[in-house]
Amino acid sequence: NESEILAFDNRIKKEGIIPEYVCELKIDGLSVSLQYQKGILISAATRGDGTIGEDITNNVKTIKTVPLTLNKEIDIEVRGEIYMSKEVFNKINENRKQEGKELLQNPRNAAAGSIRQLDSKVAASRKLECWIYHLPNPEDYGIKTHMEALEFMKDLGLRVNPNNKLV
């Protein structure tokens, strides 16, 4: 809440640090880690237990907002969020209702269930999307701030949410 943010900001400033913050929208979906080798997507995994996740590469390759090839031949891991738009969610549920099927409970669970399908055609039909928001090892690329990381990833051709602001 606002009072906690202000208290945090005051603690930082008492340490002699003049902070800059990046404000971004929170997207509620399924966390994904993408591995590119020489700029080509080689694997996609869920967060899992924090160390080992599920291999979801084939289904992620059906997401139009995940580039299969980057703008640069680079070895890199990036992380983001796979989600289903409310519009797609509502349309799927309209169809399911007409077919007498059980309705999906919410877009987040629908996205997670869709990406874990064994049949990539089902995942593709769900029109999932992805935003990339995190570079785990920015120092490897000479990056010092989160905003620099967002710009770097965007320049590589990754989809970074434009609703962010340095404050």
Side-chain angles (χ1 to χ4, degrees):
N1 64 36
E2 187 175 352
S3 65
E4 290 172 330
I5 292 170
L6 292 172
F8 172 80
D9 186 62
N10 286 331
R11 283 194 308 275
I12 296 295
K13 287 177 180 172
K14 284 180 185 174
E15 296 294 322
I17 299 168
I18 306 300
E20 290 183 335
Y21 300 104
V22 178
C23 298
E24 302 173 86
L25 294 178
K26 167 76 170 99
I27 305 300
D28 192 21
L30 174 74
S31 294
V32 66
S33 173
L34 304 175
Q35 293 278 341
Y36 289 86
Q37 193 171 65
K38 295 185 180 177
I40 298 170
L41 180 64
I42 60 163
S43 73
T46 65
R47 182 174 51 204
D49 64 6
T51 304
I52 299 171
E54 296 173 60
D55 181 352
I56 55 172
T57 307
N58 290 334
N59 288 347
V60 167
K61 286 182 176 181
T62 70
I63 300 173
K64 291 182 168 108
T65 54
V66 174
L68 301 179
T69 305
L70 299 177
N71 295 333
K72 184 178 179 184
E73 290 186 9
I74 187 171
D75 294 348
I76 193 168
E77 176 191 4
V78 295
R79 295 182 187 159
E81 202 79 6
I82 295 171
Y83 69 98
M84 179 183 289
S85 73
K86 288 182 182 177
E87 180 182 339
V88 169
F89 173 77
N90 290 334
K91 189 172 183 177
I92 289 171
N93 266 347
E94 282 176 33
N95 292 338
R96 292 177 73 88
K97 186 176 183 179
Q98 290 174 0
E99 295 169 1
K101 294 181 178 176
E102 186 177 338
L103 299 183
L104 302 175
Q105 292 301 306
N106 59 60
R108 188 212 175 279
N109 290 351
S114 298
I115 206 67
R116 289 184 169 111
Q117 292 289 320
L118 296 177
D119 184 352
S120 292
K121 291 177 188 172
V122 174
S125 74
R126 297 285 174 90
K127 297 181 179 160
L128 299 174
E129 298 184 60
C130 183
W131 291 115
I132 300 300
Y133 62 86
H134 180 64
L135 181 61
N137 53 343
E139 61 282 347
D140 290 355
Y141 307 96
I143 295 170
K144 295 186 179 359
T145 69
H146 182 60
M147 188 57 91
E148 287 176 8
L150 292 174
E151 287 299 320
F152 178 72
M153 293 184 294
K154 183 179 172 185
D155 290 344
L156 290 175
L158 294 158
R159 186 172 181 243
V160 173
N161 194 315
N163 296 296
N164 62 60
K165 185 174 184 177
L166 181 64
V167 297

